[in-house]
Amino acid sequence: MTTSPATGGWLVLDFDGDKVENINVALRNNVTIIAAEGRRPWLNGNIRISAGENTRIYGLNVHHDAIAGSDHMVKLDGGSPDWGYSIITLEDNASGDGAYTLMRPGQSVHDWRIHHCWIHSNPGATGHNGSQDHGLYCSAENATQNGQIDHCLIENMPEGRNIKIGGPSGGGPVIGDILIQYCTLKNGQGPSNGQVSNGAKNTTWEYLLLIDSGASTNLTEGSGASTGNIYRNCKGDSTVGPN
């Protein structure tokens, strides 16, 4: 898909199984993309969404048989997307390799929400350093982006975090105003289930279940993290995190 449905239009995904395609699209405003009742559609490829205010994407599952290690599989880089009721995974990647991120809200995205998803199994890419390959990597360069992650199971990132919020390791602009709540984060081994770093500020982590983190605490503040990050009402099988 390279052309968006009309403003306010609907695209109903009335199929089961794989559609092999890379999608790069600037959605129009108020578009809804939704699985048909009783269907389980899968995209086998990358997704790049660069625009679209008040868009909804419900029930589209994503995997990739031949992803490059330098890729982010799903990139939400503009507009205000609401993405829900999906499975996002590299569990069955034929090469056995991983990527930098399964899902990345980045660039100019704002007022976004990711919810009721199972985001799992990024095995890590060959040649990466063991702490680079994440489930969700929130890097939108906006201090007040009003982002939200809720009611998700995010697990099995042996070479990264389940959720990372922050800029590149070399530093960057302030990234913040993100709420993470009512999620389970499990088996983030590179080296924690969740992390803020490199400009991240005003994030709230609450009502989370945190299981099987790596060598570090379940939630960590990495180098370069800014102020206003809050951790509350979480339960874990090791130290939950700072503050």
Side-chain angles (χ1 to χ4, degrees):
M1 182 173 68
T2 58
T3 302
S4 170
T7 299
W10 287 59
L11 174 62
V12 178
L13 306 173
D14 192 9
F15 66 95
D16 290 310
D18 272 10
K19 182 173 179 59
V20 180
E21 183 178 0
N22 292 321
I23 289 177
N24 191 337
V25 63
L27 291 175
R28 297 187 174 96
N29 296 340
N30 301 305
V31 163
T32 298
I33 298 172
I34 191 168
E37 184 177 358
R39 296 291 197 175
R40 180 169 285 188
W42 283 86
L43 181 84
N44 186 341
N46 289 327
I47 295 182
R48 310 284 182 258
I49 295 175
S50 58
E53 301 300 313
N54 303 312
T55 58
R56 299 184 298 171
I57 303 167
Y58 293 164
L60 173 59
N61 307 298
V62 187
H63 70 136
H64 200 325
D65 281 344
I67 196 165
S70 58
D71 273 350
H72 306 273
M73 190 166 67
V74 178
K75 293 173 71 175
L76 306 176
D77 282 344
S80 53
D82 177 338
W83 185 299
Y85 312 104
S86 300
I87 302 170
I88 311 293
T89 185
L90 280 173
E91 181 179 42
D92 56 356
N93 181 14
S95 72
D97 212 358
Y100 275 128
T101 315
L102 298 181
M103 198 168 202
R104 191 196 78 173
Q107 295 189 21
S108 62
V109 70
H110 63 93
D111 297 289
W112 56 270
R113 184 184 178 203
I114 296 168
H115 59 100
H116 298 93
C117 290
W118 182 21
I119 300 170
H120 72 100
S121 303
N122 180 0
T126 302
H128 290 183
N129 68 11
S131 61
Q132 291 178 289
D133 301 332
H134 312 298
L136 268 167
Y137 180 19
C138 307
S139 64
E141 298 175 358
N142 184 345
T144 55
Q145 60 192 267
N146 190 31
Q148 183 168 328
I149 303 163
D150 64 275
H151 298 91
C152 291
L153 170 59
I154 307 174
E155 62 177 337
N156 295 336
M157 311 302 159
E159 304 292 336
R161 288 87 175 177
N162 288 305
I163 299 175
K164 180 182 177 181
I165 300 175
S169 298
V174 175
I175 295 167
D177 191 15
I178 297 172
L179 173 64
I180 306 100
Q181 62 179 186
Y182 305 114
C183 294
T184 295
L185 309 183
K186 181 180 178 182
N187 195 30
Q189 296 288 314
S192 60
N193 279 316
Q195 182 190 45
V196 295
S197 61
N198 300 317
K201 70 177 297 184
N202 295 341
T203 67
T204 300
W205 305 68
E206 64 180 8
Y207 303 110
L208 306 177
L209 182 61
L210 304 160
I211 305 169
D212 293 340
S213 191
S216 187
T217 55
N218 268 305
L219 299 176
T220 58
E221 284 200 0
S223 61
S226 191
T227 60
N229 298 300
I230 298 169
Y231 311 86
R232 61 191 179 199
N233 300 315
C234 299
K235 299 293 184 182
D237 60 355
S238 64
T239 303
V240 166
N243 298 350

